[in-house]
Amino acid sequence: MDPSLHTKKSAMQFLHGFSFFFKGMRFIKKHSLWNYVILPAIVSLVVAGLLIFFVFMGVSQYILSKFDLDGGFLSTILSILVWIFSAFLSFSLSILFYRVIASLIISPFLGPLLEKTTIILYHKKPEVKLATEIKNIIYTVWVNIKFSFIGIAVLLISLPLGPFQILVMVFLEGYFLGRSSFDPVLDLENKSLRERKKIIKLHFYEILGIGSAFFLFLMIPILGVILAPASGVVASAMIRHGRLLYESTHTET
């Protein structure tokens, strides 16, 4: 394939995924699924709030403990700078840890929303065996823990980039957050690990698009953590449904 055509196709898939994040919100509104969003939204808000608070307190207190502050003007300035740096670092670290915690705590609360979305799209209720559910949970937790270590490493390595670091983190965390939204959808397909990897590769740029929108939407105080998880999961289900529908039609013809 012509490299320019591949680049264009990749960009279109990315934009497709990015736009579907917001289409996920419209899907929720269109089908009046807010009742399925309320509980995971509350859990997400509480988790994010506690996470940011404790990470901020831990980081700021640790840094301040390394200085001998006498309460003077310079100490006040230093404390303010430390708080600003701690706020930025705690927000970044919280997003990394949020994904792991979300896979354990928030994702189960998104189950009813994903199931209802699947019923609307496929007109049938998904069925997953208990053994498969346990295997999916273990796999998802492992993937998110692995991604968190990678994220922390890249966060520290990219610190010298200054303000340009956000560009690196948007795409890196974008993919990770996209995967956290897409994996629950794949859990319903009962695929083997090898088949699962092929599907993820097929949807790579769409996953990146969904996750990038997810990451940027998290920047919106309160509203971000309330709506982003639900929108990401619904968007992933819609994109996967579209692909399966295309493959089915293409096979038949």
Side-chain angles (χ1 to χ4, degrees):
M1 179 184 292
D2 186 340
S4 63
L5 292 177
H6 177 72
T7 301
K8 183 178 180 180
K9 180 181 178 182
S10 301
M12 292 300 294
Q13 289 176 331
F14 173 85
L15 293 174
H16 185 241
F18 193 94
S19 66
F20 260 78
F21 177 84
F22 301 97
K23 289 181 181 179
M25 293 184 193
R26 291 199 290 271
F27 184 93
I28 292 171
K29 180 181 179 181
K30 177 182 178 181
H31 296 281
S32 301
L33 301 179
W34 297 113
N35 289 339
Y36 297 92
V37 176
I38 293 174
L39 186 56
I42 293 174
V43 174
S44 178
L45 184 61
V46 171
V47 167
L50 292 175
L51 189 59
I52 291 174
F53 174 76
F54 284 113
V55 173
F56 171 78
M57 292 300 296
V59 171
S60 61
Q61 291 302 314
Y62 175 78
I63 296 176
L64 289 174
S65 67
K66 300 300 180 179
F67 297 94
D68 184 18
L69 303 179
D70 57 9
F73 176 75
L74 292 178
S75 295
T76 302
I77 297 298
L78 180 60
S79 297
I80 293 174
L81 292 175
V82 169
W83 289 335
I84 293 174
F85 174 77
S86 298
F88 169 77
L89 186 59
S90 63
F91 180 76
S92 301
L93 290 175
S94 294
I95 292 178
L96 297 175
F97 296 135
Y98 174 86
R99 185 179 58 257
V100 179
I101 295 176
S103 67
L104 291 170
I105 300 177
I106 302 173
S107 289
F109 291 98
L110 288 170
L113 173 63
L114 178 57
E115 181 178 304
K116 184 63 177 180
T117 300
T118 303
I119 292 174
I120 293 172
L121 293 173
Y122 297 92
H123 305 291
K124 64 179 181 179
K125 185 177 180 180
E127 296 182 2
V128 181
K129 296 180 180 179
L130 179 60
T132 303
E133 288 185 349
I134 295 174
K135 181 180 69 175
N136 290 337
I137 291 173
I138 294 173
Y139 173 77
T140 300
V141 172
W142 158 245
V143 168
N144 278 279
I145 291 175
K146 179 177 68 174
F147 285 168
S148 290
F149 280 112
I150 295 173
I152 292 173
V154 174
L155 175 67
L156 296 176
I157 293 172
S158 61
L159 280 175
L161 295 176
F164 296 102
Q165 183 188 38
I166 187 65
L167 296 177
V168 176
M169 297 309 297
V170 163
F171 288 106
L172 181 69
E173 284 303 311
Y175 176 71
F176 294 164
L177 287 169
R179 278 290 302 273
S180 70
S181 297
F182 212 85
D183 279 335
V185 176
L186 295 183
D187 289 345
L188 302 179
E189 294 191 24
N190 296 313
K191 300 289 187 180
S192 67
L193 185 59
R194 178 176 296 180
E195 291 174 317
R196 193 178 181 123
K197 289 181 178 179
K198 289 181 179 179
I199 294 172
I200 290 171
K201 184 177 180 180
L202 177 68
H203 289 281
F204 177 85
Y205 291 102
E206 290 166 316
I207 291 173
L208 181 59
I210 292 173
S212 297
F214 193 139
F215 181 85
L216 293 174
F217 200 76
L218 279 178
M219 301 291 183
I220 302 176
I222 301 178
L223 188 63
V225 295
I226 287 178
L227 293 180
S231 299
V233 166
V234 172
S236 298
M238 293 170 68
I239 285 179
R240 184 60 185 153
H241 172 258
R243 168 61 66 171
L244 291 175
L245 191 63
Y246 168 81
E247 291 177 349
S248 175
T249 305
H250 185 72
T251 301
E252 291 176 359
T253 55

